Amino acid sequence: MTLLAEKPQRTSGVESFKNYIGGEWVAASSGESIDNINPADTSDIVGRFPASTAQDAESAVRAAASAFAAWRKTPISARARILNKAADYLDAHADSFAVDMTREMGKPLNLARDEILRSAQTLRFYAVEGQSFAGEVFPQDDAGMIVYTEREPLGVVAVITPWNFPTSIPARKIAPALITGNTVVFKPSSDAPLSGYRLTEALAAAGIPKGVLNFVNGSAGDVGAAITTPQIVRAISFTGSTAAGEHIHRSVGITTRTQMELGGKNPLIVMADADLDQAVELAVKGGFSLTGQACTGTSRVLVMRAVKAAFTEKLLARIKTLKIGSGMTAGNDIGPLATAKQLETVLRYVEIGKREAKWLTGGDRLTGPGYGSGYYVSPAVFTDVTQSMRIAREEIFGPVLALIEVESYEDAIAKANDTEYGLSAAIATRNPSLMHAFARDIEAGTVKINRTTTGNLINAPFGGVKHSSTSTFRESGRAGLEFYTQIKTVYRGI
Ligand code: NAD
């Protein structure tokens, strides 16, 4: 099929990739490209991706608009079949797509592979769940009438995603949009577009009709407004920073629905009765896996005074065992930061932390054998952190933990909630009544008890409160389907 014939061309050893608009693989109208750089080895250019313009984005929106009428009438079983075939394609290419992902954003290969498989599973989940996502029939007095609701697709929807989960976040937005009959304009992060490109490739290979899914790579400044502001774009599902999400949310009209999954400053509370070894694992996995670049990553540890010294000692010992290095090397726990900008941000916050709190370990740029030009930073821990400090308040999005001493459960909850964010929160305790109280008292959309702040199921709702989400619509699970549909109420006389 044309897809394979038009596969990326190799130019001087570096592959060039195209946009996918109206069923065609096309270059950016600017003729320019953006290099996708391997953060573990900055001399490795993973690919050249279109530096799209507003004109390209507008073409994608038009293509999606033209495809909508036919796609919404396409039998749901046919829509589901495409999702299932795309899932098979992802499974079949999981090994090579995982290498692409690790190369473009640094996460360990086993996690990248898991993400590809999870994305396939997400497509399959919505292929099934979407087929039973229906309206209701209402009891009423008139025997000659039936009153029911239908769930209608919205129309053209924009999907805008970050680089940290470059396949699974797009999959959990695109699959529910497609199965409910919407057409999609998808803009990945231009820092890691290859994984989103692979997902598009999978859906194209599965036979998605022209214009139903469009892929446009480009910088936010060049294509952002053209994708988000046209009135014809009826919904925007965005995952990224709070600043960008709030900007988009404010700039759209009332006919456009938004679902914003934004930043976090996620706390882990360690109670005095916690299994301290387990609590240390929660802090290490929550704080440092994915090099601290998960929106649900642990960044604050609120630890009871009685166990603070013992917890800190165990934490520092455990950190010494972590292996930092290329995600391509099996056994490495922590890869590089994903971009030069992330590296600069993390190092800046380490300096801020050193000025305002007590530095315990890490935060160094790692260079030399095994690290080369990669964006490696050792995991950092600060202690005696207080609520007013910037490292306690601002999202760092890197391997930096702030230890905050607390004296009671009430003190811990008050401090945990003293943040503009509310994405995920965890507690380590053996006390069942505290587990229950925590689930009630914490201001977060995702609550973990003796589990890491990171991680969420594809079949359960996901999202935050406060500045972490526009909390009207959740992603994932059945809740993910609601965002992409509107309710129509029908009164039908017989
Ligand atoms: P970012 O906000 O810089 O970019 C995210 C995406 O939005 C990119 O594709 C970017 O090009 C695009 N974008 C930015 N401004 C835009 C605009 N004005 N119009 C249109 N598109 C625009 O975020 P990032 O650096 O890629 O990702 C890190 C951030 O994402 C962190 O803040 C993290 O907490 C957040 N995140 C949240 C979740 C969640 O589910 N809540 C998950 C992962 C990441």
Side-chain angles (χ1 to χ4, degrees):
M1 67 192 304
T2 51
L3 172 77
L4 298 175
E6 304 216 5
K7 270 301 235 327
Q9 306 296 308
R10 265 186 188 279
T11 46
S12 59
V14 179
E15 279 185 299
S16 287
F17 294 83
K18 292 180 173 173
N19 286 330
Y20 187 61
I21 299 177
E24 308 288 331
W25 296 96
V26 289
S29 56
S30 65
E32 308 279 311
S33 62
I34 303 173
D35 286 354
N36 181 1
I37 310 277
N38 180 344
D41 170 6
T42 56
S43 65
D44 176 27
I45 299 174
V46 179
R48 301 217 149 93
F49 282 79
S52 305
T53 60
Q55 202 185 320
D56 300 317
E58 285 156 12
S59 301
V61 171
R62 274 197 305 278
S66 315
F68 176 58
W71 180 244
R72 71 173 296 189
K73 291 189 198 133
T74 300
I76 193 154
S77 58
R79 300 201 293 251
R81 200 155 44 239
I82 291 171
L83 293 187
N84 282 325
K85 278 180 82 175
D88 293 344
Y89 189 95
L90 290 179
D91 278 347
H93 295 82
D95 289 338
S96 68
F97 290 179
V99 169
D100 289 339
M101 191 187 297
T102 296
R103 252 182 97 198
E104 73 171 344
M105 55 72 64
K107 71 176 59 172
L109 196 55
N110 60 329
L111 299 184
R113 192 168 185 283
D114 287 350
E115 184 174 336
I116 303 290
L117 299 179
R118 176 187 169 92
S119 304
Q121 204 48 28
T122 301
L123 300 188
R124 290 196 183 94
F125 171 78
Y126 282 112
V128 172
E129 198 68 21
Q131 294 191 64
S132 61
F133 186 65
E136 296 169 277
V137 178
F138 296 88
Q140 39 83 35
D141 291 345
D142 182 348
M145 185 168 70
I146 176 166
V147 181
Y148 62 95
T149 54
E150 284 184 354
R151 290 251 175 202
E152 290 193 321
L154 302 174
V156 178
V157 304
V159 165
I160 301 176
T161 55
W163 41 261
N164 64 342
F165 292 97
T167 306
S168 62
I169 290 179
R172 78 175 181 224
K173 294 175 185 294
I174 291 171
L178 293 178
I179 195 69
T180 46
N182 299 278
T183 55
V184 175
V185 176
F186 165 36
K187 191 196 97 50
S189 165
S190 52
D191 286 317
L194 179 54
S195 300
Y197 178 99
R198 295 301 188 206
L199 178 63
T200 307
E201 177 186 317
L203 283 154
I208 194 116
K210 278 189 189 178
V212 171
L213 172 66
N214 303 276
F215 169 93
V216 184
N217 183 65
S219 72
D222 290 333
V223 299
I227 292 175
T228 53
T229 54
Q231 274 209 355
I232 200 168
V233 175
R234 298 292 317 284
I236 301 167
S237 184
F238 170 92
T239 297
S241 59
T242 295
E246 288 190 345
H247 169 80
I248 294 170
H249 184 63
R250 276 196 301 271
S251 65
V252 302
I254 56 165
T255 53
T256 304
R257 202 177 261 199
T258 64
Q259 175 181 59
M260 300 284 153
E261 296 301 342
L262 310 174
K265 192 71 193 166
N266 311 297
L268 162 67
I269 295 176
V270 180
M271 297 305 297
D273 70 338
D275 171 339
L276 284 193
D277 292 319
Q278 183 192 41
V280 163
E281 282 311 300
L282 300 182
V284 166
K285 290 212 175 87
F288 302 137
S289 62
L290 288 179
T291 325
Q293 302 169 119
C295 53
T296 49
T298 306
S299 62
R300 296 180 292 151
V301 182
L302 300 122
V303 54
M304 290 287 284
R305 184 179 300 153
V307 291
K308 186 181 168 209
F311 172 82
T312 307
E313 191 183 326
K314 281 174 182 283
L315 176 66
L316 295 179
R318 176 70 176 92
I319 287 173
K320 286 204 179 100
T321 69
L322 294 174
K323 293 203 184 85
I324 304 162
S326 166
M328 293 292 183
T329 307
N332 281 340
D333 303 296
I334 302 182
L337 289 159
T339 65
K341 185 168 157 240
Q342 279 303 113
L343 175 68
E344 191 265 322
T345 303
V346 170
L347 294 177
R348 183 159 39 85
Y349 273 104
V350 168
E351 286 314 306
I352 291 169
K354 283 181 176 169
R355 282 199 298 276
E356 58 184 11
K358 186 172 169 198
W359 171 85
L360 289 180
T361 187
D364 302 310
R365 168 96 197 255
L366 302 175
T367 52
Y371 301 121
S373 56
Y375 303 140
Y376 295 99
V377 172
S378 54
V381 181
F382 292 92
T383 193
D384 298 347
V385 175
T386 59
Q387 290 302 102
S388 61
M389 292 178 184
R390 289 182 65 188
I391 58 166
R393 308 205 72 80
E394 298 172 17
E395 186 184 47
I396 300 172
F397 221 55
V400 181
L401 281 180
L403 304 191
I404 300 170
E405 181 176 296
V406 289
E407 58 191 38
S408 62
Y409 168 76
E410 290 72 21
D411 186 29
I413 283 289
K415 286 179 172 152
N417 285 340
D418 176 22
T419 167
E420 64 175 295
Y421 296 109
L423 191 54
S424 181
I427 191 167
T429 181
R430 292 177 165 112
N431 180 337
S433 56
L434 276 191
M435 296 176 190
H436 191 67
F438 177 70
R440 180 194 60 211
D441 297 336
I442 193 72
E443 294 168 0
T446 307
V447 177
K448 301 289 192 77
I449 296 160
N450 296 323
R451 287 291 180 275
T452 55
T453 54
T454 47
N456 60 292
L457 289 175
I458 61 175
N459 58 352
F462 173 71
V465 297
K466 294 155 74 175
H467 286 256
S468 289
S469 289
T470 41
S471 45
T472 32
F473 292 103
R474 286 287 183 251
E475 275 196 335
S476 282
R478 201 170 172 75
L481 293 160
E482 281 167 19
F483 176 69
Y484 294 103
T485 56
Q486 61 197 358
I487 292 174
K488 180 178 273 175
T489 311
V490 181
Y491 294 73
R492 174 176 163 177
I494 293 166

